[in-house]
Amino acid sequence: MSHSLLEIKDLIVSVEDKIILNGINLTIGTGELHVLMGPNGTGKSTLVSAIMGDPRFEIEGGQILLDGKDITEMKADERAKAGVFLSFQVPEEIPGVTLEDFLRTAKGSLEKRPPKILQFKKELKEQMKALDMDPSYAERYLNVGFSGGEKKKTEILQLLMLQPKLALLDETDSGLDVDAVRTVTKGIRAFKNRKNGLFIITHNARILEGLDVDVVHVLEGGKIAYTGGQELISKITQDGFGVLGKGAGLHEGL
């Protein structure tokens, strides 16, 4: 039976003293995949960054609950240890730290003990193969010299290796060709189960093909203005956000 994994209550977020989000209310249950859409500049990335605990985004009011626990005041690393994962639009390059070392350290931190080397290497090799990644990338510095597609695959590799409770994917599909999008979608499908949750920001419906989307949210005016089902994705993609004013199966957010 599904239960509330993420609860956002009346969330108000500012950036440099400017209110960007003004009263966000949203609940994601275990086993659910939610999609966030909206015109550029409406605060979609601000929302997932605030959930992750990015200090650049000031929470002026409201609450963020994970599994019923208030994480509103937690730092980003504490939220990560609690089970929140954020895939970036533009993944950072980290010279001097190999992909394998990064993942092994992160996994050890989450599990509070170093992973068994042989088992870890076997799992890493299997997951990289599933994502069509060259195994030699494990020994390269994290994202340094990686193509845009390989950087995005690396984000999904982290997701599969770390197995968080809640995955926030911020336009992971941006800049990817058709084959890379399919690979990323395959990784997302492999991650999703009845115990975790997914929150995906996207402008491209291709990444959602083959995924069972539970709820679509549309951000407008600093709030979740409309919600609906999976069928709305193609309508919005085809007709734009102007379709909102025509109903199109949407209902106004609370």
Side-chain angles (χ1 to χ4, degrees), residues 40-222:
N40 290 329
T42 54
K44 298 183 299 296
S45 292
T46 296
L47 177 55
V48 292
S49 295
I51 296 170
M52 190 69 240
D54 189 326
R56 295 174 299 175
F57 301 90
E58 187 72 25
I59 295 179
E60 305 285 355
Q63 283 184 304
I64 302 173
L65 305 177
L66 182 70
D67 258 346
K69 181 178 180 181
D70 192 337
I71 64 169
T72 312
E73 301 298 327
M74 280 188 179
K75 295 181 180 179
D77 65 317
E78 294 173 329
R79 298 187 196 204
K81 291 177 181 178
V84 184
F85 173 92
L86 173 61
S87 171
F88 297 97
Q89 283 190 45
V90 183
E92 292 286 339
E93 297 184 2
I94 306 180
V97 179
T98 67
L99 172 58
E100 180 176 336
D101 286 345
F102 172 81
L103 285 171
R104 187 168 60 245
T105 300
K107 195 172 182 68
S109 178
L110 291 174
E111 297 179 353
K112 299 181 180 179
R113 66 178 185 276
K116 295 180 180 179
I117 298 299
L118 293 180
Q119 182 178 338
F120 172 83
K121 284 181 173 291
K122 179 182 178 182
E123 182 183 2
L124 179 60
K125 183 177 180 180
E126 290 173 350
Q127 298 291 11
M128 292 185 76
K129 182 178 180 180
L131 293 172
D132 295 324
M133 293 184 68
D134 186 330
S136 67
Y137 276 59
E139 301 303 320
R140 293 176 59 175
Y141 294 149
L142 181 60
N143 291 326
V144 176
F146 288 23
S147 68
E150 293 298 337
K151 287 181 178 180
K152 296 303 180 70
K153 287 183 183 180
T154 297
E155 295 283 282
I156 300 302
L157 177 64
Q158 293 176 42
L159 177 68
L160 293 171
M161 292 294 293
L162 301 178
Q163 291 293 313
K165 291 180 182 178
L166 175 67
L168 312 170
L169 307 185
D170 189 0
E171 296 191 31
T172 303
D173 54 336
S174 64
L176 298 183
D177 60 29
V178 174
D179 289 336
V181 169
R182 287 174 179 165
T183 300
V184 167
T185 300
K186 179 182 176 182
I188 294 171
R189 192 161 54 243
F191 166 75
K192 187 175 183 291
N193 60 46
R194 294 181 180 180
K195 295 181 180 180
N196 59 33
L198 278 154
F199 193 30
I200 300 177
I201 295 176
T202 185
H203 291 287
N204 187 346
R206 287 184 305 174
I207 195 173
L208 303 174
E209 292 176 3
L211 297 176
D212 294 324
V213 176
D214 294 288
V215 183
V216 179
H217 306 276
V218 179
L219 192 59
E220 184 180 280

